[in-house]
Amino acid sequence: MIEQVDWDCEVLTNYADENLGCKKRVASGISWVFSQVESAIILEDDCLPAPTFFSFCETLLQHYKNDERICMISGNNFQRGIQRNPYSYYFSKYPHIWGWATWRRAWQYWSDDPQQWTIFRKNQLLQSIHPNPDEYQYWVRIFDDIFYRQHPDTWDYLWTFACWSQGGLTILPRVNLVTNIGFRADATHTKMENSTNAYIPMFDISEVNHPPFHVINSQADEYSLGFCFDVNFAEPKNWIQITFKQYKILVKKIIKTLKKLNNFDSIKLIFVSR
């Protein structure tokens, strides 16, 4: 397909002589790209972009060219229609990579050196990114596996670590601009054809309207944690947040219902508070 490009442009190709695996080859390929250019738009395999994905990335690559707070621009939105602000994008800690863009200045921090993770963890820096202890442990397991056990064979968790190690923000669009069409039984990684991440509709985005603040949207990230990583730490909060008055009414209703039973004395009521 690349050899069939017929519009006016320069095509540079970089092929490996052997299969290096997902981690080494993707990383070495991207590193090669940044030996040629200062910034780039990158598409993961089996991902289909909306036409305006490219202009969206191009605009923001220029806008944030020298702003080292921003590590990358993503074309993914996994909020399932929830609008997080009235602007064209919001800021996140999650670097979604099905279609994305970044700069040489940011990619230079990608590394598979275990010492980087050892120092980062020893200085308790991951807690500042993930104060929730369950979420923190989830990512500790991920990074322990990827750095110390070399599993799974992938590059993207290392890119996530690189962004977090520099306190970098990710830009996510207000609508999804890239859909993954590769969820099928014979896929290498995305085998779950019924995954909630499969074939998410994509939309075009109009003229880019920049937000005035550069702050992570924690509500959106909490939602992404469950949707993208299948970690639903936030669910119990809905139960905890009922008022004491509501709790008393609930208990009275339960007792009233139980009193109607003939053998009420044999029933034990056990209430557990979180």
Side-chain angles (χ1 to χ4, degrees):
M1 292 178 65
I2 292 172
E3 293 172 354
Q4 295 172 14
V5 171
D6 59 359
W7 59 87
D8 184 19
C9 68
E10 181 183 9
V11 178
L12 304 178
T13 58
N14 181 264
Y15 298 106
D17 295 327
E18 58 181 328
N19 189 335
L20 300 175
C22 185
K23 181 176 76 172
K24 289 184 179 180
R25 185 55 190 135
V26 175
S28 63
I30 296 174
S31 295
W32 173 80
V33 167
F34 288 118
S35 72
Q36 310 292 318
V37 296
E38 289 284 344
S39 60
I41 299 171
I42 302 161
L43 274 174
E44 186 81 353
D45 55 304
D46 293 336
C47 290
L48 181 66
T52 52
F53 161 71
F54 299 99
S55 57
F56 176 78
C57 289
E58 185 179 16
T59 298
L60 295 177
L61 282 171
Q62 182 60 35
H63 187 76
Y64 291 106
K65 179 179 179 180
N66 299 314
D67 190 337
E68 296 197 3
R69 294 174 299 177
I70 314 302
C71 269
M72 65 167 280
I73 302 148
S74 175
N76 300 128
N77 179 298
F78 299 120
Q79 300 298 302
R80 291 196 277 196
I82 301 173
Q83 297 298 311
R84 296 300 180 179
N85 63 36
Y87 309 103
S88 299
Y89 57 92
Y90 67 93
F91 296 96
S92 170
K93 63 184 176 184
Y94 292 119
H96 302 308
I97 49 79
W98 282 347
W100 58 293
T102 192
W103 304 263
R104 179 190 296 167
R105 62 164 174 79
W107 182 257
Q108 67 174 317
Y109 296 110
W110 188 94
S111 172
D112 60 355
D113 180 6
Q115 187 68 11
Q116 295 288 320
W117 165 234
T118 300
I119 296 171
F120 195 80
R121 182 177 181 181
K122 182 178 180 181
N123 285 278
Q124 300 183 334
L125 298 176
L126 192 65
Q127 284 96 325
S128 63
I129 302 170
H130 304 296
N132 182 301
D134 294 325
E135 185 180 4
Y136 165 76
Q137 288 298 333
Y138 172 83
W139 288 105
V140 165
R141 289 192 296 272
I142 292 291
F143 293 140
D144 279 351
D145 284 342
I146 201 73
F147 279 105
Y148 299 147
R149 303 177 187 95
Q150 305 296 308
H151 178 80
D153 179 26
T154 187
W155 64 278
D156 51 353
Y157 283 138
L158 295 165
W159 173 235
T160 297
F161 176 76
C163 294
W164 289 349
S165 71
Q166 302 304 310
L169 301 176
T170 292
I171 290 173
L172 299 182
R174 72 190 306 265
V175 295
N176 188 48
L177 297 174
V178 181
T179 185
N180 191 322
I181 60 174
F183 281 83
R184 37 192 267 185
D186 62 346
T188 302
H189 296 111
T190 53
K191 296 181 181 295
M192 304 79 67
E193 295 183 62
N194 296 323
S195 170
T196 54
N197 291 320
Y199 299 94
I200 297 175
M202 62 180 175
F203 305 89
D204 277 313
I205 199 164
S206 58
E207 182 180 354
V208 177
N209 181 17
H210 303 288
F213 307 110
H214 297 75
V215 179
I216 287 175
N217 189 312
S218 58
Q219 282 186 315
D221 276 0
E222 190 173 80
Y223 187 90
S224 293
L225 185 65
F227 184 75
C228 300
F229 305 105
D230 198 25
V231 181
N232 295 297
F233 303 134
E235 288 183 353
K237 289 183 180 179
N238 294 328
W239 175 258
I240 296 170
Q241 287 173 349
I242 67 171
T243 65
F244 182 69
K245 183 178 180 180
Q246 291 171 320
Y247 182 75
K248 286 172 63 178
I249 293 172
L250 177 63
V251 172
K252 286 181 179 178
K253 286 183 177 180
I254 294 173
I255 293 175
K256 185 177 180 180
T257 301
L258 291 175
K259 280 183 176 179
K260 295 179 181 179
L261 300 176
N262 294 328
N263 197 19
F264 176 72
D265 292 338
S266 66
I267 298 175
K268 292 183 179 179
L269 288 178
I270 303 176
F271 293 95
V272 180
S273 174
R274 284 198 59 178

